[in-house]
């Protein structure tokens, strides 16, 4: 790693020295060179601003899309849960009704047996 770092540092130093020498030995006046550099930097800044604005708009659009998808998915899940709840409630009501009917049937059977038993006892007493 140290060798790679040294190579990269040497390249950067060499590039900076080359740029400095190029500016020193340029055939143009210093003012012209400075104006060119200023224009180039202004162009870079403007391009960076445009890219940042574009990226910001892309992020806003993407986040809006993600929000809409999440909202739609959540709404779908809520609807499914409500459907399951309705089915569960209806099933519980049906089962409760069936149990009530069975209980009433058993109660009526018990009453009938009790009445028959009571009648048999009454008949038995009257015959004695």
């Amino acid at each position: 790693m140290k060798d790679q770092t040294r190579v990269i540092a040497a390249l950067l130093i060499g590039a900076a020295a080359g740029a400095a020498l190029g500016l020193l030995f340029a055939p143009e006046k210093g003012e012209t060179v400075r104006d060119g550099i200023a224009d180039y930097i202004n162009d870079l800044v403007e391009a960076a601003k445009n890219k940042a604005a574009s990226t910001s708009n892309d992020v806003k659009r993407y986040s809006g899309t993600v929000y809409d998808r999440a909202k739609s998915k959540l709404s779908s899940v809520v609807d499914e849960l409500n459907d399951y709840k309705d089915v569960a409630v209806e099933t519980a009501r049906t089962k409760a009704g069936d149990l009530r009917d069975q209980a009433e049937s058993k109660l009526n059977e018990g009453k009938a047996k009790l009445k028959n038993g009571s009648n048999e006892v009454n008949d038995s007493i009257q015959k004695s």
Side-chain angles (χ1 to χ4, degrees):
M1 276 310 240
K2 288 184 178 182
D3 291 337
Q4 287 179 341
T5 305
R6 288 182 184 166
V7 170
I8 292 172
L11 285 174
L12 291 175
I13 291 171
L21 287 173
L23 290 175
L24 287 175
F25 293 112
E28 297 178 3
K29 290 182 173 183
E31 185 177 333
T32 306
V33 172
R34 284 190 300 272
D35 288 343
I37 292 171
D39 289 342
Y40 179 73
I41 290 175
N42 287 335
D43 290 344
L44 286 177
V45 168
E46 190 64 30
K49 285 180 184 178
N50 290 339
K51 185 64 177 173
S54 173
T55 302
S56 174
N57 289 335
D58 290 346
V59 168
K60 285 178 185 176
R61 260 183 276 143
Y62 181 73
S63 64
T65 302
V66 169
Y67 173 78
D68 291 341
R69 281 190 205 163
K71 185 176 176 182
S72 174
K73 187 66 175 176
L74 181 62
S75 176
S76 174
V77 169
V78 167
D79 290 344
E80 286 182 34
L81 286 175
N82 283 330
D83 291 344
Y84 288 137
K85 177 199 66 136
D86 293 341
V87 168
V89 166
E90 187 59 35
T91 302
R93 284 184 180 153
T94 301
K95 293 290 183 185
D98 291 347
L99 289 173
R100 185 190 68 235
D101 292 344
Q102 289 175 359
E104 285 179 0
S105 173
K106 294 294 182 184
L107 179 63
N108 289 336
E109 286 177 24
K111 284 180 181 179
K113 285 182 181 180
L114 181 63
K115 186 173 184 179
N116 288 339
S118 173
N119 287 339
E120 288 176 7
V121 169
N122 192 16
D123 287 344
S124 169
I125 290 174
Q126 288 180 359
K127 287 181 183 178
S128 350

